[in-house]
Amino acid sequence: MKKVPVQEAVGLQLCHDITKVIPGQEKYRAYRRGQLITPADIPNLLDMGKEHIYVWEPEDNMVHEDEAATRLAGRAAGQGLRLTEPSQGRVNLCARYDGLLKVNVSRLNWINNLENIILATMHNNRAVVQGQTVAGTRVIPLAIERHTLEEAEKLASAPEPLISIMPFHPLWVGIVTTGSEVYNGQIKDGFGKLIRKKVAPFGGRIMGQVIVPDNAEIIAREIHNYIEEGAELVVVTGGMSVDPDDVTPLGIRATGSEVVFYGAPALPGSQNMLAYRGHVPICGVPAGALYSRITTFDLLLPRIFAGDRISRADIVALGHGGLCEECKVCHYPLCPFGKSIGP
């Protein structure tokens, strides 16, 4: 780049955007890369505190900020993402559809450890909506060394793109509500409506709800029935505590399913359970979900509907970030709760 005094810049072409900031009011791009400087621009630039502009003089070992950001974003972007045009040296990655954001955090850290490169993302395993900005990248100087950019590009794309979005699938959901008091009509069920509400944003389709007594064999049988009928997710509600009468965990185990966890390091939601019968997830949801707006169950749902297989390591990682602050006004998912889930 060549540095030129503003007073001598008439007729020259900017090689970078120039941002104007009005404190407390606005920030915007006042001059665009490639714009020709006219005599009328000189006093405006001086008023903005600009005594010099920069003219691009291509060098074999340097890459302009706009090209660098576009290249890095393009290599980092996997399925479900689109790139914006560069603005003020920054390129954003936006969701093409609703889904689950996947970020390889370890490789992201390696990229951000490189000199003069920034790639910022939303949290891994976050549910996002179509059009939402999920990541942004830029380089710090107006131009960056080619070898540094190429190293970042390699990290961003190998062995697969750094960032992607897994689409939600409209799963068929069966609900098994346990509890002799509900079965006998002593207590009115509240879970049916709640589960319908929670799965609806992901396209969940309710096959039906069956209410059964506290009997492990009956619980296991109804779970099997739903799976045989085509259920892609079975939610078993109630009876998840350590009370001897609460036999829902026994019923889930009696199906022969692979239990991922019973008891998660998250509050509320510590007595949730997750198992898999083949590829079908079975979620045990305790009665506390009727009283707490967000629990472990809510953290699992986006991953389940995206077809992401949840491991015990994912659940163990919940301990860091698994304490809900129970704010008077809940802003979930715009809060720290559950943000450490996954690697």
Side-chain angles (χ1 to χ4, degrees):
M1 291 173 294
K2 181 179 179 181
K3 186 178 180 180
V4 178
V6 167
Q7 293 89 341
E8 301 173 14
V10 174
L12 298 182
Q13 194 175 56
L14 279 172
C15 75
H16 60 97
D17 293 345
I18 295 179
T19 302
K20 183 171 184 177
V21 178
I22 302 176
Q25 297 184 39
E26 61 179 331
K27 173 185 175 183
Y28 63 95
R29 181 169 58 183
Y31 290 88
R32 183 185 298 271
R33 176 193 177 197
Q35 185 170 338
L36 289 175
I37 301 301
T38 68
D41 293 322
I42 303 305
N44 291 333
L45 290 167
L46 292 172
D47 286 344
M48 293 169 61
K50 303 295 181 183
E51 297 182 356
H52 300 84
I53 66 164
Y54 290 86
V55 179
W56 183 241
E57 293 183 318
E59 299 179 39
D60 289 340
N61 67 325
M62 301 297 288
V63 180
H64 188 276
E65 60 173 350
D66 286 354
E67 179 185 349
T70 300
R71 283 175 50 175
L72 180 57
R75 296 295 290 273
Q79 67 167 347
L81 293 164
R82 65 173 179 83
L83 276 56
T84 64
E85 293 295 323
S87 177
Q88 303 176 54
R90 169 175 167 173
V91 173
N92 291 333
L93 287 77
C94 302
R96 290 186 179 275
Y97 45 72
D98 296 357
L100 183 75
L101 176 65
K102 302 296 289 186
V103 180
N104 188 306
V105 179
S106 60
R107 282 199 283 137
L108 176 66
N109 290 340
W110 277 107
I111 290 172
N112 284 314
N113 194 44
L114 296 173
E115 195 72 25
N116 292 326
I117 285 183
I118 286 176
L119 179 54
T121 75
M122 297 176 68
H123 282 100
N124 184 34
N125 291 323
R126 166 74 185 271
V128 298
V129 298
Q130 182 179 6
Q132 187 171 4
T133 298
V134 302
T137 186
R138 66 174 306 161
V139 298
I140 300 302
L142 292 174
I144 191 170
E145 293 83 0
R146 189 175 299 277
H147 69 86
T148 301
L149 174 62
E150 289 174 350
E151 184 177 357
E153 287 181 297
K154 184 177 180 179
L155 286 168
S157 58
E160 68 277 324
L162 182 77
I163 308 167
S164 61
I165 296 178
M166 299 172 66
F168 294 133
H169 304 288
L171 305 180
W172 284 107
V173 181
I175 305 172
V176 179
T177 295
T178 72
S180 296
E181 69 281 8
V182 183
Y183 179 76
N184 294 325
Q186 297 169 275
I187 297 177
K188 183 179 179 181
D189 169 62
F191 267 116
K193 182 179 180 180
L194 177 69
I195 300 304
R196 285 176 168 82
K197 180 180 178 181
K198 287 186 179 291
V199 302
F202 308 108
R205 299 172 292 182
I206 302 297
M207 295 176 65
Q209 178 186 15
V210 59
I211 299 175
V212 300
D214 292 309
N215 183 299
E217 292 183 6
I218 296 176
I219 293 170
R221 185 183 67 210
E222 294 299 340
I223 294 172
H224 275 303
N225 288 342
Y226 270 128
I227 294 175
E228 290 175 0
E229 291 170 8
E232 297 161 297
L233 165 63
V234 180
V235 181
V236 190
T237 66
M240 294 296 300
S241 78
V242 294
D243 189 308
D245 292 333
D246 289 340
V247 296
T248 299
L250 293 177
I252 293 174
R253 293 181 190 275
T255 64
S257 301
E258 173 195 351
V259 176
V260 178
F261 75 93
Y262 171 40
L267 296 169
S270 60
Q271 291 179 325
N272 274 260
M273 186 174 187
L274 175 66
Y276 285 95
R277 178 67 176 172
H279 66 280
V280 179
I282 303 168
C283 290
V285 183
L290 292 170
Y291 310 102
S292 298
R293 186 178 183 275
I294 302 296
T295 69
T296 305
F297 181 57
D298 298 276
L299 303 180
L300 302 181
L301 279 178
R303 297 189 64 177
I304 289 172
F305 276 89
D308 198 13
R309 185 92 177 197
I310 299 168
S311 70
R312 183 167 180 81
D314 294 330
I315 303 305
V316 169
L318 269 178
H320 183 214
L323 179 64
C324 177
E325 297 183 46
E326 300 187 46
C327 304
K328 291 183 179 179
V329 178
C330 181
H331 297 287
Y332 181 84
L334 304 179
C335 75
F337 183 58
K339 291 303 188 296
S340 288
I341 190 168

